[in-house]
Amino acid sequence: MYYISKYLKISEGKVWLNGQLQFQSTQEDWSEMIKELFKNRSVSYPKFYKMDDLCKLAFVGSEWMLADESDKEIALLFSNSEASLETDLRHQETIQTEENFFPSPAVFVYTLPNITIGEVSIRHQLQTESCFFVSDEFPVETMESYANYLLKTQKANKVFCAWIHKLQNSYEAQFYMVEKEGILEHNSKNITKIVRE
């Protein structure tokens, strides 16, 4: 039996940890709000400002979830429904016409959603299993069975799971950690409750 040890939600400028409000941004604009959430963690990480918005959201959530973690054997299973579409559209604008052809490597590097995993792994020095799923909705059964498999086969000591949605003005992210001890049983009912509440 495995357990969810903590869970986090970021939505509407608010951060909830284990269902309790931890922080509320004073900013309504996305770019100002995500910077405020980042600065709240008192992290010195200048690369944050160069990331695309999907990575920024994943990064900020990870700072809340992994702040007190010393274990480096944490697998990452992330998911969303739009992959890196927001950045893909930005990149497309730079190659749309021959007259305005100015592709930027700084934008192009974020045209794969799994770069979010890379940014979190680099920041927290994780060299474990990772996967980014793209599906219409959070793949509850897949995430549950994959996390259980990683723990059972000892490929990781913990599994950090996330649903990270960011497209234009819409964003929301849910995160949870799975391990041997915790506050909720790791099952589809509790996962569904966390990611859809």
Side-chain angles (χ1 to χ4, degrees):
M1 177 72 67
Y2 300 109
Y3 295 87
I4 295 168
S5 58
K6 56 187 164 184
Y7 58 96
L8 183 87
K9 178 178 181 177
I10 300 175
S11 178
E12 300 176 355
K14 298 174 184 174
V15 179
W16 290 269
L17 180 63
N18 298 335
Q20 301 296 313
L21 184 65
Q22 300 293 307
F23 183 77
Q24 182 167 352
S25 174
T26 60
Q27 305 294 323
E28 290 187 22
D29 175 71
W30 157 262
S31 61
E32 294 304 315
M33 181 278 302
I34 200 69
K35 281 190 265 187
E36 188 179 21
L37 265 62
F38 171 70
K39 289 175 183 175
N40 175 266
R41 303 314 298 154
S42 301
V43 176
S44 177
Y45 201 77
K47 190 179 177 188
F48 173 81
Y49 298 99
K50 297 179 182 179
M51 295 178 190
D52 78 335
D53 289 345
L54 183 67
C55 284
K56 286 179 180 176
L57 184 56
F59 190 90
V60 167
S62 298
E63 287 304 303
W64 283 87
M65 289 290 289
L66 301 175
D68 301 322
E69 288 290 344
S70 57
D71 195 332
K72 300 299 180 192
E73 296 298 315
I74 301 173
L76 303 173
L77 301 181
F78 289 3
S79 181
N80 74 11
S81 61
E82 65 281 341
S84 56
L85 182 58
E86 186 165 57
T87 301
D88 297 345
L89 294 171
R90 283 184 56 215
H91 176 66
Q92 178 64 34
E93 289 174 9
T94 69
I95 61 172
Q96 188 71 30
T97 62
E98 201 170 305
E99 305 82 46
N100 295 317
F101 189 83
F102 58 99
S104 166
V107 173
F108 180 73
V109 74
Y110 291 102
T111 56
L112 288 173
N114 65 345
I115 194 70
T116 59
I117 289 171
E119 296 286 12
V120 172
S121 295
I122 291 166
R123 162 73 176 112
H124 294 280
Q125 301 173 348
L126 305 177
Q127 298 178 358
T128 49
E129 292 267 340
S130 64
C131 191
F132 196 109
F133 298 97
V134 179
S135 60
D136 289 339
E137 57 186 30
F138 189 79
V140 174
E141 290 79 18
T142 300
M143 297 293 259
E144 178 187 9
S145 61
Y146 199 170
N148 288 347
Y149 166 78
L150 292 172
L151 293 169
K152 184 177 181 181
T153 58
Q154 299 179 347
K155 294 188 183 292
N157 295 332
K158 300 177 183 182
V159 183
F160 180 30
C161 302
W163 173 261
I164 308 159
H165 163 73
K166 174 63 181 83
L167 186 60
Q168 297 172 332
N169 295 321
S170 175
Y171 72 92
E172 185 171 282
Q174 284 93 359
F175 306 86
Y176 63 94
M177 188 74 74
V178 184
E179 53 187 298
K180 292 179 182 175
E181 296 179 357
I183 56 176
L184 296 169
E185 283 188 22
H186 181 236
N187 57 43
S188 57
K189 179 181 176 184
N190 287 330
I191 295 168
T192 299
K193 182 180 178 185
I194 287 170
V195 297
R196 296 189 182 146
E197 65 178 17

